[in-house]
C-alpha cells in the first residue's frame, strides 16, 4: 500500500544564519514539523546551495556544547571542517557525512574548510539532529566519519540513478552509520525520468527533502527545496524525477519518550536540562580552543 502524503512544506521564506557560515532553512521544527512529530529527528537545517565569496577568515560556528542526541552533517557542495573536545577532528567533502554522537556531552566547532574558504564557491549541506533513547543519552561522546566511498550503494535499474545508503537498509544494502534506534537515511540521485521505489515501515516517521530538482511522489508533484511529510500509513514510496534530482529520505521509529529541549541540549526532563547547563558551565564537557 502506498504511503499518503500528509503535507508538503515549502522552503521557509527566509534562511537563518548559524554562526556566519551556515545559511540554512529550518524545516524541523520551524516549518510546523514538531520534534515529536518527526521523532527521532529533532532538527533539520537545509543549507540550500549558496555561493560564498573567497575569504581568508574561517566562517562557521565557534565552540559550543551538545548533549543527549546526535548531530549528522551531510556535505553536498563545499567542505566542512570540525573539531571536538574528545580530540576528534575531520573534514567532510561532497558526498561525505559526519555523524557525531554528543551523548553525555561534548564541545565542538564547525566551519568551512580552509582551502574551500580561500576559493569560495557553491556550498550546500544538511544538518540533522537525531535523538537518543533515554537509556543511551549518557553514552560516551564519539564520532563516525562516513566518507562517500563507505556508503552502501545501489545502482537503480534502467540508468535511473543511485541510492547512497547512509543509515538503515535499502533492498538489503546496509548503510555504514551505527544508530541507537531504527533509522533510514538515504541520499539518492535520480536522472531525468529516473524512478525509485522505497518500502518504509508504516510506523516510521518518514519524510523527503528535495535538495535539487522537481519530482513526482506517489502521483503528487513536489518542488525543489520542499519537504514531503508522510502519514504513518502505508509503506511504498514511488518517485519519478521530472529532471535530474537529489533527494534525502529520512525515516525512523519514533522514540516515545518525553522531550525536553533547550538550545543545544535535548533531554527527557527539565531537571536534566538544568543539569546539562550546569555541567557545561562547570567545564564537564572538556576543553576546546
Ligand atoms: Mn553543533
Amino acid at each position: 500500500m502506498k504511503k499518503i502524503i500528509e503535507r508538503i512544506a515549502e522552503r521557509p521564506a527566509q534562511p537563518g544564519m548559524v554562526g556566519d557560515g551556515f545559511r540554512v532553512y529550518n524545516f524541523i521544527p520551524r516549518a510546523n514539523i514538531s520534534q515529536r512529530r518527526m521523532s527521532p529527528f529533532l532538527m533539520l537545517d537545509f543549507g540550500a546551495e549558496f555561493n560564498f565569496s573567497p575569504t581568508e577568515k574561517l566562517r562557521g560556528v565557534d565552540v559550543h556544547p551538545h548533549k543527549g542526541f546526535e548531530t549528522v552533517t551531510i556535505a553536498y557542495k563545499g567542505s566542512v571542517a570540525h573539531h571536538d573536545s574528545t580530540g576528534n577532528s575531520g573534514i567532510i567533502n561532497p558526498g561525505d557525512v559526519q555523524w557525531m554522537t554528543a551523548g553525555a556531552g561534548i564541545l565542538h566547532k564547525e566551519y568551512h574548510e580552509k582551502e574551500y574558504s580561500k576559493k569560495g564557491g557553491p556550498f550546500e549541506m544538511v544538518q540533522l539532529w537525531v535523538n537518543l533513547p533515554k537509556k543511551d543519552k549518557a553514552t560516551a561522546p564519539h564520532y563516525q566519519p562516513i566518507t562517500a566511498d563507505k556508503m552502501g550503494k545501489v545502482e537503480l535499474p534502467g540508468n535511473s540513478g543511485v541510492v547512497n545508503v547512509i543509515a538503515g537498509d535499502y533492498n538489503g544494502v546496509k548503510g555504514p552509520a551505527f544508530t541507537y534506534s531504527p533509522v533510514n537515511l538515504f541520499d539518492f540521485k535520480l536522472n531525468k525520468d529516473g524512478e525509485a521505489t522505497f518500502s518504509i515501515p508504516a510506523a516510521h516517521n518518514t519524510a523527503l527533502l528535495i535538495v535539487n530538482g522537481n519530482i513526482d511522489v506517489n502521483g503528487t508533484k513536489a518542488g525543489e527545496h520542499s519537504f514531503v511529510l508522510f502519514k504513518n500509513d502505508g509503506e511504498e514510496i514511488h518517485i519519478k524525477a521530472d529532471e535530474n534530482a537529489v533527494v534525502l529520505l529520512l525515516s525512523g521509529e519514533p522514540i516515545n519518550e518525553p522531550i525536553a529541549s533547550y538550545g543545544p541540549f535535548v533531554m527527557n526532563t527539565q531537571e536534566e536540562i538544568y543539569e546539562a547547563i550546569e555541567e557545561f558551565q562547570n567545564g564537564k564537557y572538556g576543553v576546546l580552543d
Side-chain angles (χ1 to χ4, degrees):
M1 190 188 130
K2 279 193 175 177
K3 274 195 194 300
I4 309 289
I5 294 172
E6 177 170 314
R7 192 157 74 82
I8 298 182
E10 298 303 327
R11 189 181 84 176
Q14 294 300 325
M17 288 303 295
V18 180
D20 62 358
F22 302 96
R23 183 181 180 276
V24 296
Y25 296 94
N26 180 267
F27 283 91
I28 308 170
R30 278 179 219 137
N32 264 322
I33 301 155
S34 72
Q35 294 185 324
R36 175 149 294 281
R37 175 65 188 85
M38 269 313 285
S39 173
F41 306 103
L42 297 163
M43 195 211 67
L44 189 152
D45 268 347
F46 173 40
E49 182 172 341
F50 183 78
N51 268 298
F52 283 93
S53 58
T55 179
E56 291 293 319
K57 167 182 178 307
L58 289 187
R59 293 189 179 107
V61 200
D62 209 348
V63 180
H64 60 280
H66 289 294
K67 183 181 185 181
F69 62 97
E70 304 182 284
T71 68
V72 178
T73 309
I74 304 168
Y76 289 100
K77 289 176 184 159
S79 303
V80 182
H82 155 269
H83 283 87
D84 72 39
S85 53
T86 71
N88 283 316
S89 66
I91 292 166
I92 56 169
N93 294 306
D96 298 341
V97 171
Q98 185 222 67
W99 198 295
M100 185 183 82
T101 305
I106 196 168
L107 302 178
H108 80 157
K109 53 182 179 179
E110 313 159 76
Y111 43 91
H112 294 188
E113 185 272 330
K114 209 158 88 188
E115 295 308 314
Y116 160 75
S117 276
K118 279 185 188 164
K119 289 197 301 257
F123 191 80
E124 187 178 57
M125 52 76 72
V126 164
Q127 188 168 90
L128 260 178
W129 290 6
V130 183
N131 206 359
L132 289 168
K134 183 178 171 62
K135 66 175 178 49
D136 298 312
K137 281 189 183 288
T139 197
H142 60 274
Y143 159 79
Q144 302 176 69
I146 305 175
T147 46
D149 58 303
K150 294 201 178 79
M151 299 294 168
K153 266 200 196 309
V154 180
E155 295 287 343
L156 296 165
N159 194 33
S160 275
V162 62
V163 179
N164 294 303
V165 185
I166 302 167
D169 182 309
Y170 178 64
N171 288 355
V173 175
K174 286 188 172 25
F178 172 84
T179 66
Y180 287 83
S181 63
V183 165
N184 290 305
L185 195 59
F186 305 153
D187 158 38
F188 60 99
K189 322 283 196 246
L190 294 179
N191 298 319
K192 181 174 159 42
D193 298 324
E195 297 183 54
T197 300
F198 301 89
S199 182
I200 306 290
H204 278 208
N205 289 331
T206 305
L208 303 173
L209 174 71
I210 323 298
V211 176
N212 290 131
N214 289 287
I215 64 172
D216 181 291
V217 185
N218 287 353
T220 299
K221 295 285 177 195
E224 186 166 66
H225 299 178
S226 66
F227 183 93
V228 181
L229 175 64
F230 295 95
K231 289 187 178 170
N232 294 76
D233 201 5
E235 294 85 32
E236 197 187 305
I237 300 172
H238 182 76
I239 296 172
K240 186 166 191 283
D242 295 342
E243 56 190 317
N244 290 349
V246 177
V247 182
L248 184 67
L249 182 152
L250 49 153
S251 92
E253 194 176 284
I255 299 172
N256 289 315
E257 294 172 348
I259 299 171
S261 175
Y262 178 76
F265 309 118
V266 183
M267 303 301 292
N268 300 109
T269 67
Q270 198 55 44
E271 187 56 36
E272 290 166 341
I273 292 290
Y274 298 137
E275 280 168 22
I277 295 167
E278 206 170 280
E279 288 165 0
F280 168 56
Q281 287 170 344
N282 292 334
K284 294 268 171 65
Y285 300 159
V287 179
L288 182 65
D289 293 327

mmCIF file of all heavy atoms in Angstrom, residues 220-259:
data_model
loop_
_atom_site.group_PDB
_atom_site.id
_atom_site.type_symbol
_atom_site.label_atom_id
_atom_site.label_comp_id
_atom_site.label_asym_id
_atom_site.label_seq_id
_atom_site.Cartn_x
_atom_site.Cartn_y
_atom_site.Cartn_z
ATOM 1 N N THR A 220 2.041 12.833 -6.759
ATOM 2 C CA THR A 220 1.916 14.259 -6.411
ATOM 3 C C THR A 220 3.239 14.967 -6.716
ATOM 4 O O THR A 220 4.305 14.423 -6.433
ATOM 5 C CB THR A 220 1.603 14.396 -4.898
ATOM 6 O OG1 THR A 220 0.357 13.738 -4.647
ATOM 7 C CG2 THR A 220 1.486 15.850 -4.468
ATOM 8 N N LYS A 221 3.150 16.175 -7.278
ATOM 9 C CA LYS A 221 4.361 16.936 -7.593
ATOM 10 C C LYS A 221 4.960 17.530 -6.320
ATOM 11 O O LYS A 221 4.224 18.074 -5.489
ATOM 12 C CB LYS A 221 4.023 18.103 -8.551
ATOM 13 C CG LYS A 221 3.536 17.653 -9.916
ATOM 14 C CD LYS A 221 4.686 17.131 -10.768
ATOM 15 C CE LYS A 221 4.173 16.608 -12.114
ATOM 16 N NZ LYS A 221 5.208 15.787 -12.800
ATOM 17 N N ALA A 222 6.260 17.414 -6.195
ATOM 18 C CA ALA A 222 6.971 18.054 -5.074
ATOM 19 C C ALA A 222 8.129 18.831 -5.670
ATOM 20 O O ALA A 222 8.940 18.283 -6.416
ATOM 21 C CB ALA A 222 7.457 17.013 -4.079
ATOM 22 N N GLY A 223 8.189 20.117 -5.350
ATOM 23 C CA GLY A 223 9.160 21.013 -5.974
ATOM 24 C C GLY A 223 10.490 21.053 -5.255
ATOM 25 O O GLY A 223 10.623 20.604 -4.106
ATOM 26 N N GLU A 224 11.451 21.623 -5.959
ATOM 27 C CA GLU A 224 12.793 21.805 -5.403
ATOM 28 C C GLU A 224 12.703 22.526 -4.053
ATOM 29 O O GLU A 224 11.936 23.490 -3.919
ATOM 30 C CB GLU A 224 13.630 22.619 -6.391
ATOM 31 C CG GLU A 224 15.083 22.727 -5.977
ATOM 32 C CD GLU A 224 15.959 23.239 -7.104
ATOM 33 O OE1 GLU A 224 15.784 24.411 -7.491
ATOM 34 O OE2 GLU A 224 16.798 22.477 -7.606
ATOM 35 N N HIS A 225 13.492 22.056 -3.092
ATOM 36 C CA HIS A 225 13.612 22.644 -1.753
ATOM 37 C C HIS A 225 12.355 22.460 -0.891
ATOM 38 O O HIS A 225 12.215 23.136 0.125
ATOM 39 C CB HIS A 225 13.979 24.146 -1.807
ATOM 40 C CG HIS A 225 15.303 24.407 -2.466
ATOM 41 N ND1 HIS A 225 15.804 25.663 -2.665
ATOM 42 C CD2 HIS A 225 16.234 23.546 -2.957
ATOM 43 C CE1 HIS A 225 16.983 25.575 -3.268
ATOM 44 N NE2 HIS A 225 17.267 24.297 -3.462
ATOM 45 N N SER A 226 11.458 21.586 -1.300
ATOM 46 C CA SER A 226 10.309 21.324 -0.421
ATOM 47 C C SER A 226 10.587 20.083 0.437
ATOM 48 O O SER A 226 11.555 19.348 0.211
ATOM 49 C CB SER A 226 9.015 21.171 -1.221
ATOM 50 O OG SER A 226 9.049 20.018 -2.027
ATOM 51 N N PHE A 227 9.728 19.891 1.418
ATOM 52 C CA PHE A 227 9.868 18.818 2.402
ATOM 53 C C PHE A 227 8.546 18.051 2.410
ATOM 54 O O PHE A 227 7.492 18.634 2.649
ATOM 55 C CB PHE A 227 10.144 19.455 3.767
ATOM 56 C CG PHE A 227 10.392 18.497 4.904
ATOM 57 C CD1 PHE A 227 11.685 18.113 5.230
ATOM 58 C CD2 PHE A 227 9.340 18.007 5.666
ATOM 59 C CE1 PHE A 227 11.927 17.257 6.300
ATOM 60 C CE2 PHE A 227 9.577 17.145 6.730
ATOM 61 C CZ PHE A 227 10.873 16.773 7.047
ATOM 62 N N VAL A 228 8.605 16.777 2.096
ATOM 63 C CA VAL A 228 7.390 15.963 1.960
ATOM 64 C C VAL A 228 7.238 15.096 3.205
ATOM 65 O O VAL A 228 8.076 14.236 3.481
ATOM 66 C CB VAL A 228 7.473 15.062 0.708
ATOM 67 C CG1 VAL A 228 6.210 14.231 0.559
ATOM 68 C CG2 VAL A 228 7.748 15.881 -0.546
ATOM 69 N N LEU A 229 6.186 15.347 3.960
ATOM 70 C CA LEU A 229 5.924 14.586 5.191
ATOM 71 C C LEU A 229 4.829 13.558 4.902
ATOM 72 O O LEU A 229 3.779 13.903 4.356
ATOM 73 C CB LEU A 229 5.463 15.555 6.285
ATOM 74 C CG LEU A 229 5.030 14.945 7.612
ATOM 75 C CD1 LEU A 229 6.196 14.242 8.315
ATOM 76 C CD2 LEU A 229 4.449 16.028 8.523
ATOM 77 N N PHE A 230 5.078 12.292 5.266
ATOM 78 C CA PHE A 230 4.113 11.226 5.015
ATOM 79 C C PHE A 230 3.303 10.901 6.263
ATOM 80 O O PHE A 230 3.810 11.003 7.387
ATOM 81 C CB PHE A 230 4.837 9.948 4.557
ATOM 82 C CG PHE A 230 5.521 10.093 3.234
ATOM 83 C CD1 PHE A 230 6.864 10.430 3.158
ATOM 84 C CD2 PHE A 230 4.814 9.909 2.043
ATOM 85 C CE1 PHE A 230 7.502 10.572 1.930
ATOM 86 C CE2 PHE A 230 5.443 10.051 0.815
ATOM 87 C CZ PHE A 230 6.789 10.384 0.760
ATOM 88 N N LYS A 231 2.078 10.464 6.035
ATOM 89 C CA LYS A 231 1.285 9.901 7.137
ATOM 90 C C LYS A 231 1.904 8.576 7.566
ATOM 91 O O LYS A 231 2.557 7.911 6.765
ATOM 92 C CB LYS A 231 -0.158 9.650 6.675
ATOM 93 C CG LYS A 231 -0.939 10.926 6.471
ATOM 94 C CD LYS A 231 -2.402 10.611 6.181
ATOM 95 C CE LYS A 231 -3.164 11.909 6.043
ATOM 96 N NZ LYS A 231 -4.534 11.696 5.538
ATOM 97 N N ASN A 232 1.628 8.161 8.806
ATOM 98 C CA ASN A 232 2.153 6.884 9.297
ATOM 99 C C ASN A 232 1.206 5.769 8.891
ATOM 100 O O ASN A 232 0.542 5.138 9.717
ATOM 101 C CB ASN A 232 2.345 6.942 10.813
ATOM 102 C CG ASN A 232 3.409 7.933 11.185
ATOM 103 O OD1 ASN A 232 3.188 9.140 11.157
ATOM 104 N ND2 ASN A 232 4.589 7.439 11.478
ATOM 105 N N ASP A 233 1.190 5.563 7.595
ATOM 106 C CA ASP A 233 0.192 4.705 6.985
ATOM 107 C C ASP A 233 0.766 4.271 5.641
ATOM 108 O O ASP A 233 1.276 5.114 4.906
ATOM 109 C CB ASP A 233 -1.047 5.595 6.750
ATOM 110 C CG ASP A 233 -2.309 4.786 6.603
ATOM 111 O OD1 ASP A 233 -2.247 3.567 6.772
ATOM 112 O OD2 ASP A 233 -3.351 5.407 6.308
ATOM 113 N N GLY A 234 0.718 2.994 5.322
ATOM 114 C CA GLY A 234 1.262 2.530 4.040
ATOM 115 C C GLY A 234 2.776 2.472 4.083
ATOM 116 O O GLY A 234 3.415 3.019 4.995
ATOM 117 N N GLU A 235 3.368 1.785 3.107
ATOM 118 C CA GLU A 235 4.824 1.580 3.098
ATOM 119 C C GLU A 235 5.503 2.118 1.849
ATOM 120 O O GLU A 235 6.647 2.538 1.894
ATOM 121 C CB GLU A 235 5.167 0.076 3.183
ATOM 122 C CG GLU A 235 4.778 -0.607 4.476
ATOM 123 C CD GLU A 235 3.329 -1.078 4.467
ATOM 124 O OE1 GLU A 235 2.834 -1.430 3.368
ATOM 125 O OE2 GLU A 235 2.698 -1.050 5.539
ATOM 126 N N GLU A 236 4.791 2.077 0.736
ATOM 127 C CA GLU A 236 5.509 2.277 -0.525
ATOM 128 C C GLU A 236 5.603 3.745 -0.944
ATOM 129 O O GLU A 236 4.622 4.489 -0.910
ATOM 130 C CB GLU A 236 4.810 1.482 -1.633
ATOM 131 C CG GLU A 236 5.676 1.296 -2.851
ATOM 132 C CD GLU A 236 4.907 0.657 -4.007
ATOM 133 O OE1 GLU A 236 4.324 -0.427 -3.800
ATOM 134 O OE2 GLU A 236 4.892 1.257 -5.094
ATOM 135 N N ILE A 237 6.815 4.121 -1.335
ATOM 136 C CA ILE A 237 7.048 5.467 -1.875
ATOM 137 C C ILE A 237 7.614 5.284 -3.271
ATOM 138 O O ILE A 237 8.652 4.636 -3.442
ATOM 139 C CB ILE A 237 8.047 6.253 -1.001
ATOM 140 C CG1 ILE A 237 7.521 6.412 0.422
ATOM 141 C CG2 ILE A 237 8.343 7.626 -1.620
ATOM 142 C CD1 ILE A 237 8.527 7.016 1.386
ATOM 143 N N HIS A 238 6.924 5.844 -4.262
ATOM 144 C CA HIS A 238 7.414 5.759 -5.630
ATOM 145 C C HIS A 238 7.749 7.160 -6.117
ATOM 146 O O HIS A 238 6.928 8.067 -6.030
ATOM 147 C CB HIS A 238 6.377 5.100 -6.552
ATOM 148 C CG HIS A 238 6.889 4.965 -7.947
ATOM 149 N ND1 HIS A 238 7.802 3.998 -8.304
ATOM 150 C CD2 HIS A 238 6.672 5.707 -9.052
ATOM 151 C CE1 HIS A 238 8.118 4.152 -9.580
ATOM 152 N NE2 HIS A 238 7.437 5.180 -10.064
ATOM 153 N N ILE A 239 8.950 7.307 -6.604
ATOM 154 C CA ILE A 239 9.422 8.627 -7.038
ATOM 155 C C ILE A 239 9.823 8.578 -8.492
ATOM 156 O O ILE A 239 10.459 7.612 -8.933
ATOM 157 C CB ILE A 239 10.611 9.078 -6.173
ATOM 158 C CG1 ILE A 239 10.124 9.260 -4.731
ATOM 159 C CG2 ILE A 239 11.221 10.391 -6.683
ATOM 160 C CD1 ILE A 239 11.199 9.518 -3.749
ATOM 161 N N LYS A 240 9.425 9.627 -9.229
ATOM 162 C CA LYS A 240 9.868 9.779 -10.615
ATOM 163 C C LYS A 240 10.403 11.205 -10.721
ATOM 164 O O LYS A 240 9.772 12.150 -10.262
ATOM 165 C CB LYS A 240 8.692 9.566 -11.566
ATOM 166 C CG LYS A 240 9.091 9.552 -13.025
ATOM 167 C CD LYS A 240 7.953 8.991 -13.890
ATOM 168 C CE LYS A 240 8.415 8.708 -15.306
ATOM 169 N NZ LYS A 240 8.553 9.879 -16.149
ATOM 170 N N ALA A 241 11.585 11.329 -11.321
ATOM 171 C CA ALA A 241 12.224 12.647 -11.403
ATOM 172 C C ALA A 241 11.833 13.338 -12.698
ATOM 173 O O ALA A 241 11.967 12.777 -13.774
ATOM 174 C CB ALA A 241 13.733 12.481 -11.329
ATOM 175 N N ASP A 242 11.333 14.585 -12.594
ATOM 176 C CA ASP A 242 10.997 15.372 -13.780
ATOM 177 C C ASP A 242 12.263 15.887 -14.460
ATOM 178 O O ASP A 242 12.248 16.270 -15.623
ATOM 179 C CB ASP A 242 10.125 16.581 -13.396
ATOM 180 C CG ASP A 242 8.770 16.142 -12.855
ATOM 181 O OD1 ASP A 242 8.383 14.979 -13.097
ATOM 182 O OD2 ASP A 242 8.113 16.957 -12.167
ATOM 183 N N GLU A 243 13.333 15.959 -13.665
ATOM 184 C CA GLU A 243 14.643 16.424 -14.157
ATOM 185 C C GLU A 243 15.660 15.792 -13.217
ATOM 186 O O GLU A 243 15.281 15.128 -12.262
ATOM 187 C CB GLU A 243 14.699 17.950 -14.091
ATOM 188 C CG GLU A 243 14.409 18.469 -12.692
ATOM 189 C CD GLU A 243 14.208 19.982 -12.634
ATOM 190 O OE1 GLU A 243 14.981 20.687 -13.272
ATOM 191 O OE2 GLU A 243 13.273 20.411 -11.944
ATOM 192 N N ASN A 244 16.944 16.011 -13.467
ATOM 193 C CA ASN A 244 17.952 15.469 -12.553
ATOM 194 C C ASN A 244 17.631 15.952 -11.142
ATOM 195 O O ASN A 244 17.341 17.129 -10.943
ATOM 196 C CB ASN A 244 19.361 15.935 -12.935
ATOM 197 C CG ASN A 244 19.838 15.299 -14.236
ATOM 198 O OD1 ASN A 244 19.199 14.365 -14.743
ATOM 199 N ND2 ASN A 244 20.930 15.798 -14.773
ATOM 200 N N ALA A 245 17.649 15.031 -10.182
ATOM 201 C CA ALA A 245 17.196 15.378 -8.831
ATOM 202 C C ALA A 245 18.100 14.756 -7.769
ATOM 203 O O ALA A 245 18.699 13.690 -7.983
ATOM 204 C CB ALA A 245 15.758 14.908 -8.623
ATOM 205 N N VAL A 246 18.189 15.449 -6.644
ATOM 206 C CA VAL A 246 18.894 14.946 -5.460
ATOM 207 C C VAL A 246 17.894 15.002 -4.303
ATOM 208 O O VAL A 246 17.290 16.060 -4.066
ATOM 209 C CB VAL A 246 20.137 15.811 -5.117
ATOM 210 C CG1 VAL A 246 20.815 15.326 -3.848
ATOM 211 C CG2 VAL A 246 21.118 15.823 -6.293
ATOM 212 N N VAL A 247 17.706 13.888 -3.637
ATOM 213 C CA VAL A 247 16.674 13.808 -2.599
ATOM 214 C C VAL A 247 17.266 13.113 -1.369
ATOM 215 O O VAL A 247 18.059 12.175 -1.493
ATOM 216 C CB VAL A 247 15.437 13.013 -3.102
ATOM 217 C CG1 VAL A 247 14.345 12.960 -2.039
ATOM 218 C CG2 VAL A 247 14.896 13.593 -4.403
ATOM 219 N N LEU A 248 16.869 13.584 -0.187
ATOM 220 C CA LEU A 248 17.242 12.923 1.057
ATOM 221 C C LEU A 248 15.984 12.296 1.651
ATOM 222 O O LEU A 248 14.991 12.990 1.871
ATOM 223 C CB LEU A 248 17.833 13.948 2.028
ATOM 224 C CG LEU A 248 18.355 13.391 3.354
ATOM 225 C CD1 LEU A 248 19.591 12.513 3.138
ATOM 226 C CD2 LEU A 248 18.686 14.535 4.324
ATOM 227 N N LEU A 249 16.028 10.981 1.874
ATOM 228 C CA LEU A 249 14.910 10.301 2.537
ATOM 229 C C LEU A 249 15.308 10.048 3.979
ATOM 230 O O LEU A 249 16.388 9.509 4.238
ATOM 231 C CB LEU A 249 14.582 8.986 1.833
ATOM 232 C CG LEU A 249 13.385 8.190 2.404
ATOM 233 C CD1 LEU A 249 12.733 7.343 1.306
ATOM 234 C CD2 LEU A 249 13.760 7.283 3.571
ATOM 235 N N LEU A 250 14.461 10.475 4.919
ATOM 236 C CA LEU A 250 14.723 10.179 6.318
ATOM 237 C C LEU A 250 13.524 9.467 6.912
ATOM 238 O O LEU A 250 12.378 9.861 6.667
ATOM 239 C CB LEU A 250 15.065 11.436 7.120
ATOM 240 C CG LEU A 250 14.220 12.679 7.044
ATOM 241 C CD1 LEU A 250 14.356 13.473 8.333
ATOM 242 C CD2 LEU A 250 14.634 13.554 5.877
ATOM 243 N N SER A 251 13.781 8.396 7.630
ATOM 244 C CA SER A 251 12.691 7.722 8.326
ATOM 245 C C SER A 251 13.244 7.133 9.608
ATOM 246 O O SER A 251 14.423 6.802 9.688
ATOM 247 C CB SER A 251 12.068 6.625 7.448
ATOM 248 O OG SER A 251 12.683 5.371 7.666
ATOM 249 N N GLY A 252 12.385 7.030 10.614
ATOM 250 C CA GLY A 252 12.846 6.457 11.870
ATOM 251 C C GLY A 252 11.677 6.022 12.729
ATOM 252 O O GLY A 252 10.574 6.569 12.637
ATOM 253 N N GLU A 253 11.957 5.018 13.545
ATOM 254 C CA GLU A 253 10.956 4.552 14.507
ATOM 255 C C GLU A 253 10.874 5.606 15.606
ATOM 256 O O GLU A 253 11.898 5.978 16.176
ATOM 257 C CB GLU A 253 11.446 3.218 15.069
ATOM 258 C CG GLU A 253 10.421 2.426 15.814
ATOM 259 C CD GLU A 253 11.023 1.089 16.237
ATOM 260 O OE1 GLU A 253 11.168 0.202 15.381
ATOM 261 O OE2 GLU A 253 11.368 0.973 17.432
ATOM 262 N N PRO A 254 9.665 6.117 15.895
ATOM 263 C CA PRO A 254 9.563 7.169 16.920
ATOM 264 C C PRO A 254 10.077 6.673 18.279
ATOM 265 O O PRO A 254 9.876 5.520 18.633
ATOM 266 C CB PRO A 254 8.060 7.455 17.006
ATOM 267 C CG PRO A 254 7.427 6.822 15.825
ATOM 268 C CD PRO A 254 8.351 5.749 15.336
ATOM 269 N N ILE A 255 10.770 7.560 18.980
ATOM 270 C CA ILE A 255 11.172 7.270 20.362
ATOM 271 C C ILE A 255 10.078 7.880 21.231
ATOM 272 O O ILE A 255 9.953 9.101 21.313
ATOM 273 C CB ILE A 255 12.547 7.901 20.684
ATOM 274 C CG1 ILE A 255 13.631 7.324 19.761
ATOM 275 C CG2 ILE A 255 12.902 7.690 22.152
ATOM 276 C CD1 ILE A 255 14.989 8.024 19.868
ATOM 277 N N ASN A 256 9.267 7.028 21.825
ATOM 278 C CA ASN A 256 8.113 7.534 22.577
ATOM 279 C C ASN A 256 8.480 7.833 24.020
ATOM 280 O O ASN A 256 8.057 7.148 24.948
ATOM 281 C CB ASN A 256 6.946 6.545 22.479
ATOM 282 C CG ASN A 256 6.349 6.545 21.083
ATOM 283 O OD1 ASN A 256 6.126 7.614 20.486
ATOM 284 N ND2 ASN A 256 6.139 5.364 20.518
ATOM 285 N N GLU A 257 9.297 8.865 24.178
ATOM 286 C CA GLU A 257 9.732 9.315 25.499
ATOM 287 C C GLU A 257 9.593 10.835 25.520
ATOM 288 O O GLU A 257 9.637 11.474 24.467
ATOM 289 C CB GLU A 257 11.202 8.911 25.728
ATOM 290 C CG GLU A 257 11.392 7.394 25.797
ATOM 291 C CD GLU A 257 12.851 6.943 25.819
ATOM 292 O OE1 GLU A 257 13.765 7.755 25.556
ATOM 293 O OE2 GLU A 257 13.073 5.754 26.090
ATOM 294 N N PRO A 258 9.457 11.415 26.726
ATOM 295 C CA PRO A 258 9.307 12.879 26.786
ATOM 296 C C PRO A 258 10.540 13.579 26.220
ATOM 297 O O PRO A 258 11.656 13.063 26.345
ATOM 298 C CB PRO A 258 9.175 13.166 28.282
ATOM 299 C CG PRO A 258 8.910 11.866 28.946
ATOM 300 C CD PRO A 258 9.420 10.784 28.051
ATOM 301 N N ILE A 259 10.331 14.723 25.557
ATOM 302 C CA ILE A 259 11.430 15.523 25.000
ATOM 303 C C ILE A 259 11.490 16.841 25.769
ATOM 304 O O ILE A 259 10.515 17.592 25.796
ATOM 305 C CB ILE A 259 11.203 15.822 23.501
ATOM 306 C CG1 ILE A 259 11.131 14.520 22.686
ATOM 307 C CG2 ILE A 259 12.302 16.744 22.951
ATOM 308 C CD1 ILE A 259 10.689 14.701 21.230
#
